[in-house]
Amino acid sequence: MYIAEIRIENFRLFGASDQAFVLPLTSGLTALVGENDAGKTAVIDALRLVLGTRDQDMLRVDPMDFHQATPGGERADQIIIRLIFRGLTTADRGAFAEFLTYETAAGATDTALILTWVAKRNAKEGSSRRVLPPEWRTGTKGDGPLLDLGARSLLTATYLRPLRDAERAMSAGRGSRLSQILQHTKEIRDTGNPFNKLADPPDDPKTLSVLGLGDYASHLFGESEGIKQARKRLNEDYLRPLSFANDLLHARIGVAGAQEDNLRLRQLLEKLELALTASSDTESAHTRGLGSNNLLFMACELLLLAAESDGFPLLLIEEPRGASPPAAPTAFDVVLAGTG
């Protein structure tokens, strides 16, 4: 499934009727190139409003987003953004069955998902809400069933914002983007075996999963002679004299972590970082500039998109900063918005 047409009315610099923005698209890569203030960001933001993004960063409609035909003139009453999706697979038809539009042309029937997003200004006097909650309508004229939250969640896009810090996103740390990406890749989830500390002979570390390696490392810490001695000294020299005779206190030194597998996996992955190397067979980091690090960031996002079996695979990249797009993006759509 891909976006075959975008139509934007009364949103920022785009007007209505013959002043509306209409862009037909094909599956694959689309690059929006133009001068400053030509409306590239408006197109990206229109897609974000309709589809939402996976980072859960909500973009809200502002009264200033309603088109103003002339300086000082009245602003439009409503914004209309219409997306037509074509090339639906069998899985797409099943997921959006009740919202589909069936079109007949030249004796053949085509299936499309036509989504019309409408936001209206609040004309009620004295109301603090200046914009009414938007509606996601389906059907050729927006007269079909409203698209529910579950169906909308299948359309969310991956969005790389401008002025992003690609190097920081690929660094280790709590809540890192790299850990979020790796946690949802099948290679991380499904490869390797769990660690069994009672196995005889012991497990070969190379056969362990990421979680298994984490458990193995925790076991090795516990078996470390230095940690054992520190624990013994803590218990015998300090805790024992401070305890009651019938209630001895005992300390355990171990690796902190959650018990639930998904949380433990995330904590392990948050310790990883990703950096460019001089060649594929070296472990040393290779200093690269902003453009190369952005390519690395994009590659990771594409890795996640290609691994997902459900949802709408759309990647929005604002200000790609000279990065070369993938040669043949067949499994997902990419929209690049940049200056000329």
Side-chain angles (χ1 to χ4, degrees):
M1 185 170 70
Y2 66 95
I3 300 176
E5 183 180 284
I6 305 172
R7 181 182 178 88
I8 305 173
E9 294 186 29
N10 291 327
F11 182 59
R12 297 183 187 169
L13 75 166
F14 302 128
S17 302
D18 59 340
Q19 299 298 314
F21 175 84
V22 181
L23 178 65
L25 300 170
T26 57
S27 179
L29 174 69
T30 299
L32 304 180
V33 181
E35 300 176 352
N36 291 336
D37 301 324
K40 303 182 299 298
T41 296
V43 175
I44 293 291
D45 285 349
L47 291 171
R48 291 173 61 199
L49 284 169
V50 179
L51 302 176
T53 56
R54 295 169 189 247
D55 57 7
Q56 304 301 313
D57 184 16
M58 292 186 62
L59 178 65
R60 299 183 182 278
V61 183
D62 187 270
M64 298 297 290
D65 288 329
F66 290 81
H67 179 67
Q68 189 176 34
T70 58
E74 186 71 15
R75 293 192 177 273
D77 292 328
Q78 64 179 8
I79 298 171
I80 300 176
I81 304 172
R82 187 172 105 160
L83 304 179
I84 301 179
F85 299 84
R86 299 194 186 279
L88 277 67
T89 65
T90 301
D92 295 331
R93 294 189 184 96
F96 300 101
E98 61 186 295
F99 309 108
L100 299 181
T101 297
Y102 299 92
E103 303 170 323
T104 302
T109 301
D110 187 23
T111 305
L113 174 62
I114 302 177
L115 181 57
T116 304
W117 182 91
V118 180
K120 298 180 179 181
R121 288 199 299 129
N122 191 358
K124 186 176 181 181
E125 292 290 340
S127 175
S128 60
R129 177 175 287 178
R130 303 172 68 185
V131 179
L132 297 175
E135 292 182 346
W136 284 258
R137 304 173 180 173
T138 60
T140 305
K141 298 181 180 180
D143 53 357
L146 294 178
L147 196 69
D148 58 44
L149 182 60
R152 296 205 308 267
S153 67
L154 297 176
L155 295 175
T156 51
T158 298
Y159 170 61
L160 302 189
R161 64 186 67 254
L163 302 177
R164 57 192 173 273
D165 189 343
E167 187 173 355
R168 182 178 178 183
M170 297 296 98
S171 298
R174 185 178 179 86
S176 73
R177 180 57 183 162
L178 177 61
S179 67
Q180 296 171 14
I181 292 173
L182 293 179
Q183 187 172 12
H184 292 92
T185 57
K186 62 180 181 180
E187 292 83 0
I188 297 293
R189 295 194 316 265
D190 303 335
T191 304
N193 303 316
F195 170 68
N196 180 8
K197 64 180 180 180
L198 301 179
D200 187 18
D203 294 316
D204 181 353
K206 294 181 180 180
T207 67
L208 297 177
S209 65
V210 174
L211 268 179
L213 284 172
D215 294 337
Y216 180 46
S218 299
H219 173 71
L220 292 179
F221 274 112
E223 295 297 312
S224 166
E225 192 60 33
I227 290 179
K228 285 183 178 180
Q229 291 179 12
R231 182 179 62 218
K232 180 179 179 181
R233 185 181 175 202
L234 175 65
N235 282 320
E236 294 182 358
D237 296 350
Y238 298 100
L239 272 181
R240 184 185 295 271
L242 295 174
S243 302
F244 292 104
N246 60 347
D247 186 19
L248 293 178
L249 298 176
H250 295 277
R252 181 189 70 86
I253 302 176
V255 177
Q259 298 300 314
E260 204 270 327
D261 284 354
N262 285 333
L263 292 178
R264 288 195 298 129
L265 179 59
R266 188 186 69 190
Q267 290 174 345
L268 287 170
L269 295 176
E270 285 174 348
K271 302 181 186 302
L272 300 180
E273 66 176 5
L274 181 63
L276 291 166
T277 60
S279 63
S280 59
D281 58 354
T282 181
E283 294 296 326
S284 62
H286 188 56
T287 302
R288 290 281 188 172
L290 183 63
S292 295
N293 281 308
N294 266 283
L295 282 176
L296 181 64
F297 190 15
M298 293 178 200
C300 284
E301 293 289 355
L302 294 176
L303 172 68
L304 178 59
L305 279 177
E308 294 185 340
S309 58
D310 57 355
F312 180 50
L314 175 67
L315 173 61
L316 302 173
I317 306 173
E318 191 167 1
E319 293 185 14
R321 301 186 184 183
S324 301
T330 56
F332 37 77
D333 285 351
V334 183
V335 175
L336 302 176
T339 60

